[in-house]
Amino acid sequence: MRKTTTLGLSVLAVGGILLGGCSSEIGRLPSDTDVSCLRKQMAPPMFLSFPLAANTCQRLTNHGFVLGEKDAKLIPLNLKGAPDLQKLAQEHGYSYTP
């Protein structure tokens, strides 16, 4: 009985972590582009400012791993086809590729 309970709780915990990874409050999803991530973060229910949204969506050359953190550099936001976001990036000093 105890083994079944432990297994059930483990499955529940893993499921919760996986579902939590799909929450818009967490930040960038693997399938998001820079533009889609920024638009999600700046839209309801988040209503983040551009700088906060950009900090949430911007990627690093080390893909966010702790190892190699010292040499990690910010990857410019890919804002192709989004002139409104390009203007905001320019106003706030974020590097981007048009």
Side-chain angles (χ1 to χ4, degrees):
M1 178 74 170
R2 185 177 176 129
K3 197 178 226 182
T4 305
T5 304
T6 304
L7 178 64
L9 289 175
S10 298
V11 169
L12 183 64
V14 169
I17 291 169
L18 290 175
L19 288 175
C22 296
S23 172
S24 63
E25 290 83 9
I26 299 296
R28 185 185 188 105
L29 296 175
S31 62
D32 279 344
T33 64
D34 291 340
V35 172
S36 67
C37 181
L38 285 167
R39 294 208 190 281
K40 276 190 223 175
Q41 295 299 315
M42 293 170 69
M46 300 300 291
F47 294 110
L48 294 181
S49 65
F50 181 83
L52 288 175
N55 290 342
T56 302
C57 297
Q58 206 160 30
R59 296 171 292 139
L60 295 169
T61 55
N62 72 343
H63 305 291
F65 291 116
V66 174
L67 300 174
E69 183 178 330
K70 180 174 65 170
D71 300 323
K73 294 183 178 34
L74 289 173
I75 298 172
L77 293 165
N78 182 356
L79 302 179
K80 184 176 183 176
D84 58 327
L85 295 176
Q86 291 174 13
K87 183 179 178 191
L88 288 170
Q90 193 171 26
E91 286 175 9
H92 294 285
Y94 283 83
S95 62
Y96 67 95
T97 55

